[in-house]
């Protein structure tokens, strides 16, 4: 009897896998048989933090496009960036975000990450003022003030000859900066030399969200996860947005001439049709805190890590910085932006260790579209895999080597690099709005560290970049020894 039940169950289960293998519109795309019939491998790779690495392995095995799930493709070519994320021909809108990946919020409380096309355009128009070159110049003194306080804190470690986990201090710095820009007040991480209770929950909130999003493909699995998930995880996610709401309320009730993100929203928030609702300001502030702190700190830590692993480049960039400025105070946004070595190191670090290493899926519109030279049916989820594209031998010579010179040479061995494949801030109208701010922070912070200190990597952090990812990296400590340069 049990045997007949098994035969019946297998027979009932067969039609869907058979369809996905032999009759599905994506049947001709390469990839493992298991990912063609099931999303279970994708879910497993996500919750174990290895999605970025597995996607790269699949691309190395199957080529520029891979069937990652029954209804999903990933690419690693430069052309895919424009086809998937850019504006389309004849005035057609770019592909929409995959709702299975970007969970919608309640009406009237969307944010830049998951908003509809219309809401995103409206919100971005307002927020663009806060991240423009003009606003960056107005905010420079405020930002540099925090960077100088950061340097003071590091000098205490240099004086005492204590090793320091500089990754933690970079997080302190970027959280304080973005907190002041978003809410008109810092989190006090640098002053207190510790994480604000809210800041300490940010990564866990991102990690939990990544796992829940993957498991939502199988609702029963998500239900089980939510049943056994510690209640503190959910509480932290709720607390994150509640604290954002409270801080926005306090900021809106405060009259100030200081330039911050709220001040720009208020300045241009003309009416209900073109402006932002109160709930939208609150959710966008919460998202900006996550995106504007964790990713910038990660990129800076990667810059230091790779420099410290490559003494020749460390000496070269340190000499460039110290030869360009008479003192630390003369290191400004504009002055450091033209240093070729600093910029090359940042680009190469973003390539090897992108702050968001996996995918940002989009949905092909009804009727289908051409992606990277091939037709993809409507409703299919498509994306460019950051880590895979940035480390593809088809895009970059010596893809796993730290070679900042590839960003300086227009001829020679790296002339065949497809530099346009590197899009760490994504591409198109939904690309990261804080790109200019991030580059200004990274250049200035890196230059001030190299100006003030001789830095040595400690042995326990020799494999710092070997870590898991959950949308962002689950990083360990980056231990260094600091010696004053003067």
């Amino acid at each position: 009897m049990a045997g007949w039940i098994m035969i019946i169950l297998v027979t009932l289960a067969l039609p869907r896998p058979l369809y996905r293998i032999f009759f599905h519109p994506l049947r001709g795309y390469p990839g493992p048989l298991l990912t063609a019939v099931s999303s279970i491998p994708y879910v497993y790779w996500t919750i174990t933090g290895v999605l970025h690495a597995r996607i790269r392995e699949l691309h190395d095995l199957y080529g520029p496009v891979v069937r990652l799930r029954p209804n999903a493709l990933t690419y690693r070519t430069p052309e895919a960036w424009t086809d998937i994320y850019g504006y389309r021909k004849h005035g057609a809108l770019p592909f929409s975000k995959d709702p299975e990946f970007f969970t919608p919020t309640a009406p009237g409380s969307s944010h830049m990450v998951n908003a509809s096309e219309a809401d995103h355009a409206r919100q971005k128009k307002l927020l663009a003022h806060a991240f423009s070159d003009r606003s960056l110049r107005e905010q420079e003194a405020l930002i540099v003030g925090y960077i100088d306080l950061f340097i003071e804190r590091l000098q205490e470690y240099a004086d005492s000859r204590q090793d320091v986990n500089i990754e933690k201090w970079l997080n302190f710095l970027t959280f304080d900066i973005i907190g002041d820009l978003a809410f008109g007040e810092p989190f006090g991480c640098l002053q207190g030399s510790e994480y604000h209770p809210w800041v300490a929950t940010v990564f866990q909130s991102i990690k939990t969200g990544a796992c829940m999003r993957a498991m939502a493909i199988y609702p029963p699995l998500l239900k089980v996860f939510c049943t056994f998930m510690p209640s503190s995880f959910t509480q932290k996610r709720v607390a994150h947005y509640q604290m954002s709401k409270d801080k926005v309320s306090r900021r809106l009730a405060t009259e100030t001439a200081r330039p911050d993100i709220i001040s720009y929203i208020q300045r241009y928030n003309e009416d209900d049709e073109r402006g932002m609702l109160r709930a939208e300001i609150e959710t966008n502030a919460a998202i900006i805190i996550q995106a504007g702190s964790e990713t910038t700190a990660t990129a800076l830590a990667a810059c230091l890590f790779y420099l410290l692993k490559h003494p020749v480049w460390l000496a070269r960039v340190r000499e460039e910085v110290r030869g360009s400025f008479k003192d630390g105070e003369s290191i400004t946004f504009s002055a450091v932006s033209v240093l070729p070595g600093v910029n090359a190191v940042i680009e190469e670090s973003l390539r090897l260790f992108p702050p968001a290493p996996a995918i940002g899926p989009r949905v092909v519109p009804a009727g289908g579209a051409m992606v990277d030279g091939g037709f993809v049916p409507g409703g299919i989820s498509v994306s460019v895999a950051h880590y895979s594209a940035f480390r593809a031998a088809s895009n970059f010579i010596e893809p796993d080597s730290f070679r900042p010179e590839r960003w300086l040479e227009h001829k020679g061995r790296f002339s065949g690099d497809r530099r346009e494949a590197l899009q760490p801030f994504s591409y198109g109208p939904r690309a990261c709005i804080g790109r200019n701010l991030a580059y200004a922070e990274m250049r200035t912070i890196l230059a001030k560290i190299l100006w003030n200190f001789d830095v040595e990597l400690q042995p326990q952090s020799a494999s710092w970049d070997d870590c898991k990812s959950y949308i962002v990296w689950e990083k360990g400590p980056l231990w260094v020894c600091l010696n004053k340069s003067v």
Side-chain angles (χ1 to χ4, degrees):
M1 183 65 178
W4 280 105
I5 293 175
M6 182 62 67
I7 292 172
I8 292 171
L9 290 174
V10 170
T11 303
L12 291 174
L14 276 177
R16 177 173 289 184
L18 289 175
Y19 166 76
R20 288 175 170 174
I21 294 171
F22 296 108
F23 304 103
H24 193 280
L26 299 184
R27 62 188 179 276
Y29 282 91
L33 184 63
L34 191 55
T35 63
V37 300
S38 174
S39 293
I40 290 177
Y42 168 82
V43 174
Y44 177 75
W45 295 335
T46 299
I47 63 178
T48 55
V50 298
L51 180 63
H52 66 283
R54 293 294 173 266
I55 293 177
R56 187 199 175 181
E57 290 174 1
L58 293 178
H59 275 295
D60 288 345
L61 182 61
Y62 293 101
V65 57
V66 172
R67 190 177 179 187
L68 181 63
R69 296 193 287 125
N71 295 305
L73 302 171
T74 66
Y75 296 80
R76 67 177 185 186
T77 63
E79 292 79 8
W81 280 114
T82 55
D83 291 342
I84 296 172
Y85 302 93
Y87 283 105
R88 300 164 61 209
K89 295 179 181 179
H90 310 300
L93 292 173
F95 295 176
S96 298
K97 288 197 168 186
D98 186 347
E100 195 171 64
F101 189 88
F102 298 96
T103 309
T105 55
S109 61
S110 65
H111 50 69
M112 290 279 288
V113 173
N114 65 6
S116 66
E117 302 306 317
D119 287 342
H120 178 270
R122 172 175 53 82
Q123 293 176 13
K124 183 175 182 179
K125 186 175 182 180
L126 273 174
L127 288 169
H129 296 291
F131 292 96
S132 66
D133 289 337
R134 174 186 174 184
S135 69
L136 200 56
R137 290 192 296 270
E138 293 177 345
Q139 296 159 350
E140 181 172 1
L142 181 150
I143 295 170
V144 171
Y146 285 109
I147 298 174
D148 289 341
L149 177 57
F150 164 77
I151 295 297
E152 288 179 23
R153 290 290 181 262
L154 293 187
Q155 286 174 342
E156 295 170 6
Y157 284 90
D159 290 339
S160 62
R161 300 293 298 155
Q162 285 183 299
D163 293 345
V164 56
N165 173 15
I166 201 165
E167 187 272 337
K168 180 178 73 172
W169 281 92
L170 288 168
N171 269 287
F172 289 171
L173 171 59
T174 56
F175 272 111
D176 272 356
I177 290 174
I178 201 65
D180 207 333
L181 292 179
F183 301 125
E185 59 183 63
F187 289 105
C189 297
L190 290 172
Q191 287 287 359
S193 302
E194 63 181 1
Y195 285 110
H196 183 281
W198 180 23
V199 172
T201 71
V202 167
F203 175 75
Q204 185 60 60
S205 176
I206 295 173
K207 181 179 180 179
T208 302
C211 294
M212 291 177 67
R213 185 178 298 130
M215 285 184 283
I217 297 172
Y218 297 103
L221 181 62
L222 178 61
K223 186 175 181 179
V224 171
F225 176 78
C226 291
T227 299
F228 293 99
M229 179 177 65
S231 60
S232 60
F233 285 11
T234 303
Q235 292 168 359
K236 287 176 181 178
R237 286 173 61 82
V238 172
H240 175 70
Y241 285 96
Q242 183 59 47
M243 192 170 296
S244 174
K245 182 177 180 179
D246 294 342
K247 281 184 172 287
V248 167
S249 295
R250 186 159 59 249
R251 171 60 186 83
L252 290 174
T254 304
E255 293 289 338
T256 178
R258 294 170 67 254
D260 58 29
I261 293 171
I262 300 294
S263 69
Y264 286 102
I265 293 175
Q266 290 177 311
R267 187 182 307 175
Y268 298 99
N269 212 18
E270 299 171 353
D271 52 53
D272 291 340
E273 184 175 339
R274 291 179 291 179
M276 287 174 62
L277 301 173
R278 175 70 166 265
E280 291 176 331
I281 297 175
E282 293 165 356
T283 55
N284 272 295
I287 289 297
I288 287 170
I289 290 297
Q290 291 181 346
S293 55
E294 175 68 29
T295 54
T296 303
T298 295
L300 277 163
C303 287
L304 283 171
F305 172 76
Y306 290 119
L307 274 177
L308 297 178
K309 294 278 283 188
H310 297 83
V312 172
W313 266 99
L314 174 62
R316 176 172 174 175
V317 177
R318 185 170 56 208
E319 182 179 344
E320 178 184 72
V321 169
R322 295 178 184 177
S324 300
F325 304 105
K326 63 179 185 299
D327 52 47
E329 287 69 34
S330 58
I331 300 175
T332 63
F333 286 178
S334 60
V336 77
S337 68
V338 298
L339 299 184
V342 168
N343 284 300
V345 164
I346 289 173
E347 293 301 304
E348 186 69 347
S349 299
L350 288 171
R351 187 186 68 80
L352 288 175
F353 200 74
I359 56 176
R362 302 292 189 264
V363 176
V364 178
M370 297 296 292
V371 177
D372 196 26
F375 179 78
V376 181
I380 298 300
S381 180
V382 292
S383 58
V384 176
H386 290 214
Y387 189 78
S388 180
F390 302 168
R391 286 183 176 240
S394 56
N395 293 331
F396 297 98
I397 305 297
E398 296 185 41
D400 292 319
S401 298
F402 180 70
R403 300 290 188 184
E405 59 265 35
R406 74 173 78 246
W407 304 101
L408 302 174
E409 299 173 1
H410 296 286
K411 295 180 180 180
R413 63 182 308 201
F414 297 107
S415 60
D417 280 356
R418 307 193 70 188
R419 298 183 182 183
E420 66 274 21
L422 181 67
Q423 302 291 342
F425 296 90
S426 194
Y427 182 89
R430 282 186 177 265
C432 177
I433 197 172
R435 176 185 176 126
N436 290 344
L437 173 62
Y439 271 116
E441 288 185 62
M442 288 188 290
R443 293 167 183 147
T444 307
I445 295 167
L446 181 60
K448 291 222 173 197
I449 291 174
L450 296 178
W451 168 265
N452 285 279
F453 304 104
D454 293 325
V455 190
E456 298 176 15
L457 182 68
Q458 297 304 92
Q460 61 265 44
S461 295
S463 300
W464 175 84
D465 61 341
D466 183 13
C467 49
K468 295 181 178 181
S469 70
Y470 299 87
I471 300 179
V472 296
W473 296 100
E474 188 175 42
K475 307 181 300 296
L478 181 59
W479 291 102
V480 301
C481 176
L482 302 173
N483 295 296
K484 288 187 177 180
S485 62
V486 290

